[in-house]
Amino acid sequence: MQRIEGFGVARVIDSDDPNYTPGELISGITGWEEYSLLRSSNELQLRKIQLGDDIPLSYHLGLLGMAGFTAYAGFYEICSPKKGETVFVSAASGAVGQLVGQLAKLHGCYVVGSAGSKQKVDLLKNKLGFDEAFNYKEEVDLDAALKRYFPVGINIYFDNVGGSMLDAALLNMKVRGRIALCGMVSLQSLSSSSQGINNLYNAIPKRIRLEGFLQSDYVHIFPQFLEHVKGYYKEGKIVYIEDISEGLELAPSALVGLFSGKNVGKQVVWVAKE
């Protein structure tokens, strides 16, 4: 039986690898288990964690971990933002989306996010600093919704969902717009009614660039990411929202909740307390 793996934070208990000594904290790919046996490799993306700066340990999973780095690399490397541009973020209250929106605001962009509940929309506007936000579940016509919030069009779409939202965004992109394809949760959901893309032709006359990416493609800028995002956090320029479940036995339900939008912010499972 193969264990389930995911991005985790752990303390080294024992090690025969000279790069890691007992007592050190690391982040990387670990198992859904109380103790993991790891073989150091690039695939595990293991990194040592330096505590300090009053940053919660769990933030090394989200804000300063894979989710945060995905947001940073996708926004700056794929979207190539310019001050004053219009930015749309789907699943905007999630682990990645919430940081994308805040980085866009710090860059001087106009930012709108979509989410799946009134609570999440309120968070986007009142805590995360988005200019506007809407509940996609209350919109009967996503194309009309985007035209309402972007009457002159969208420069950048950071796509976390795919499906009908991506289809609507393709109708509303500006010429030479950029779409970062980060996730396709609508095509990975528990529903069998996932919708394909019908409006891809718009990418041709509008010269839209659509690009998928993995954060692991950009490990060379990880130190830059840490410096910038840590600085923003310490200066109070960004906040980060987590949804924490305590106990390894809650991991399966926490995972299932991601596909129904149950979580608010970065989903974290707290396995053990020291």
Side-chain angles (χ1 to χ4, degrees):
M1 182 180 296
Q2 186 175 356
R3 68 182 180 185
I4 299 176
E5 294 183 330
F7 200 79
V9 166
R11 186 177 294 280
V12 178
I13 302 300
D14 194 10
S15 173
D16 59 7
D17 186 327
N19 294 311
Y20 303 96
T21 58
E24 289 182 323
L25 288 166
I26 61 166
S27 65
I29 305 299
T30 64
W32 284 24
E33 52 200 358
E34 293 181 341
Y35 297 91
S36 290
L37 177 61
L38 305 176
R39 299 296 182 190
S40 180
S41 70
N42 292 335
E43 287 73 22
L44 294 181
Q45 301 179 48
L46 297 181
R47 298 187 181 97
K48 294 182 183 181
I49 295 174
Q50 302 297 327
L51 293 180
D53 303 320
D54 296 321
I55 294 176
L57 183 60
S58 59
Y59 277 21
H60 290 273
L61 290 174
L63 179 64
L64 301 177
M66 183 183 291
F69 188 43
T70 298
Y72 186 91
F75 183 62
Y76 289 113
E77 300 296 315
I78 304 298
C79 298
S80 303
K82 300 179 182 65
K83 184 178 180 180
E85 289 192 315
T86 57
V87 177
F88 175 47
V89 185
S90 56
S93 67
V96 174
Q98 60 175 299
L99 184 57
V100 172
Q102 292 179 88
L103 291 175
K105 285 300 299 176
L106 288 169
H107 202 76
C109 299
Y110 169 78
V111 186
V112 176
S114 65
S117 71
K118 182 180 184 301
Q119 176 193 12
K120 293 178 180 180
V121 168
D122 289 343
L123 280 173
L124 292 174
K125 294 195 291 185
N126 301 322
K127 188 167 184 176
L128 296 172
F130 283 59
D131 292 292
E132 290 289 351
F134 64 92
N135 182 351
Y136 71 90
K137 294 179 180 177
E138 295 179 348
E139 301 291 344
V140 296
D141 185 338
L142 292 176
D143 175 31
L146 292 179
K147 283 182 168 57
R148 186 166 73 246
Y149 290 103
F150 297 98
V152 296
I154 301 168
N155 291 114
I156 293 170
Y157 173 37
F158 199 100
D159 182 26
N160 291 303
V161 299
S164 57
M165 190 67 80
L166 174 57
D167 218 25
L170 283 164
L171 294 174
N172 289 275
M173 298 299 295
K174 289 186 175 182
V175 170
R176 302 200 184 282
R178 288 87 71 202
I179 299 178
L181 301 173
C182 179
M184 296 277 170
V185 72
S186 70
L187 305 181
Q188 299 168 323
S189 70
L190 301 180
S191 168
S192 60
S193 59
S194 300
Q195 180 178 331
I197 305 300
N198 298 309
N199 299 320
L200 189 58
Y201 172 77
N202 288 270
I204 299 173
K206 292 185 177 182
R207 285 87 85 198
I208 300 168
R209 179 163 60 86
L210 299 88
E211 185 173 350
F213 71 100
L214 297 175
Q215 52 84 28
S216 55
D217 296 335
Y218 298 94
V219 290
H220 59 285
I221 64 167
F222 191 83
Q224 171 187 311
F225 151 73
L226 280 182
E227 179 185 355
H228 289 172
V229 175
K230 271 187 178 181
Y232 289 146
Y233 178 76
K234 289 189 288 185
E235 293 167 11
K237 293 181 178 179
I238 58 174
V239 297
Y240 200 70
I241 299 170
E242 297 177 307
D243 193 328
I244 298 178
S245 299
E246 294 196 25
L248 184 59
E249 68 277 5
L250 295 180
S253 60
L255 175 63
V256 171
L258 291 174
F259 297 100
S260 62
K262 181 180 179 182
N263 64 299
V264 179
K266 167 65 177 175
Q267 182 66 66
V268 176
V269 176
W270 199 333
V271 177
K273 294 183 179 180
E274 293 187 305

